[in-house]
Amino acid sequence: MSLRVIFMGTPDFAVPTLTEIIGQGHEVVSCYTRAPAQAGRGLELKPSPVHRAAERFGIPVFTPSTLKTPEVAEQIASHQADVAVVVAYGMILPQAILDIPELGCLNLHASLLPRWRGAAPIQRAVMAGDAESGVCVMKMEAGLDTGPVGMVERLEIGPDMTSGELHDRLAPLGADLMVRALAALGRGGLQFTPQPEEGVTYAAKIANAEAKLNWARPARQVHDLVRGLAPFPGAFAEIDLGKGPERLKVLRTALAGGAAEPGMLLDDEGTVACAEGAVKLLQVQRAGGRPVSGAEFLRGARLSAGQKL
């Protein structure tokens, strides 16, 4: 059964779901996304990835700054949609909006709810060293990601997988899950199960201070922080090469053996001692520079084994 769909989303993660919904024959009657933001050297207004995708499909795009006005509610109601699909929209839907579509509002969330409710579930899962993640289709309610879950797909997180790599695996997985959920919804066969009260965690936005590496933590935690923040915003170490402190962005690491005072270089390849074990710097980047291997960075910075980073 073809459904009339309002799509609400903003980043790249949401685009595969929009594309798949259209590909399965549903009618996307409107698209709501965040307003264009300033980007680039000229600070030109740049439409969101969902905005650009919707325009390619000829879908009307709306970018309200708030959803809490009667005018926006009337506009959304005028689309006469069966269902709203929300994927990383970035705005909270008030109850007045949730009540409009006859079949409700479905949200695609990139975690295994109730774990990692909130804004940064992919990064938080990797930062915490979780062994698996996944995607859920949830019926939205007023609480933050508290609604009952209709469908779930799970995905293993490899020990060296970055949040960027997990993102790229979950996006198409979520798109497929959402179109299966819409097919079941159209048949009247989508059943929802309340989330358990145990196991709730929150995926808050990443604060700048969290990205700073601390070699006095166990190597596994350092490694998980690096891969959890790769490629964005990126973990960093604060170093002093004689001209004052500077940030060294650490893009990729590997767990390594060895023991010494935390922060000590164990070899000339970029292996750094941590509180427990060590990590090898596989790829780093100085401000204004290009990404290089740990060994190449040490040569350029004239650092060697036995010195502290």
Side-chain angles (χ1 to χ4, degrees), residues 6-242:
I6 294 172
F7 189 84
M8 296 177 160
T10 297
D12 288 319
F13 184 82
V15 173
T17 302
L18 173 61
T19 303
E20 193 68 16
I21 288 172
I22 295 169
Q24 292 297 315
H26 298 291
E27 182 184 1
V28 179
V29 294
S30 62
C31 181
Y32 285 75
T33 188
R34 297 300 295 267
Q38 291 183 330
R41 293 184 177 180
L43 295 181
E44 297 180 358
L45 291 177
K46 183 179 180 181
S48 74
V50 165
H51 191 146
R52 297 194 299 270
E55 287 187 333
R56 289 196 299 270
F57 287 114
I59 300 168
V61 177
F62 301 89
T63 59
S65 59
T66 179
L67 300 177
K68 297 180 180 179
T69 66
E71 292 77 14
V72 172
E74 291 173 6
Q75 182 188 73
I76 290 176
S78 72
H79 301 311
Q80 297 182 317
D82 299 308
V83 63
V85 171
V86 182
V87 187
Y89 180 25
M91 295 179 71
I92 301 296
L93 273 62
Q95 192 64 50
I97 302 297
L98 295 174
D99 291 339
I100 291 173
E102 182 180 353
L103 299 179
C105 300
L106 299 185
N107 175 242
L108 178 69
H109 188 73
S111 82
L112 299 175
L113 292 168
R115 186 160 177 81
W116 301 127
R117 296 174 178 173
I122 294 176
Q123 290 167 309
R124 291 292 177 188
V126 178
M127 289 167 64
D130 288 3
E132 65 174 354
S133 181
V135 282
C136 293
V137 171
M138 169 189 64
K139 187 168 186 178
M140 298 180 71
E141 55 184 34
L144 178 63
D145 299 328
T146 58
V149 173
M151 286 187 173
V152 180
E153 280 287 353
R154 311 177 87 88
L155 180 69
E156 180 182 356
I157 302 177
D160 297 311
M161 182 182 286
T162 67
S163 65
E165 292 163 346
L166 180 59
H167 168 284
D168 292 347
R169 294 278 302 277
L170 290 178
L173 189 69
D176 177 72
L177 187 69
M178 180 57 76
V179 295
R180 287 194 279 126
L182 289 177
L185 186 70
R187 297 191 304 267
L190 184 58
Q191 302 296 318
F192 294 95
T193 302
Q195 294 183 36
E197 296 182 2
E198 295 182 357
V200 175
T201 56
Y202 289 93
K205 291 182 179 179
I206 308 299
N208 290 335
E210 293 182 87
K212 183 178 179 179
L213 293 173
N214 180 359
W215 307 118
R217 297 172 67 183
R220 166 56 70 180
Q221 292 183 18
V222 172
H223 178 59
D224 290 344
L225 181 64
V226 170
R227 63 194 187 96
L229 297 181
F232 181 83
F236 70 91
E238 198 167 79
I239 59 174
D240 190 343
L241 300 178

Side-chain angles (χ1 to χ4, degrees), residues 261-287:
E261 183 182 352
M264 187 73 70
L265 289 167
L266 299 178
D267 56 30
D268 294 338
E269 298 299 312
T271 304
V272 185
C274 299
E276 299 173 13
V279 295
K280 183 175 182 179
L281 305 178
L282 298 182
Q283 190 177 55
V284 299
Q285 184 176 15
R286 295 179 71 175

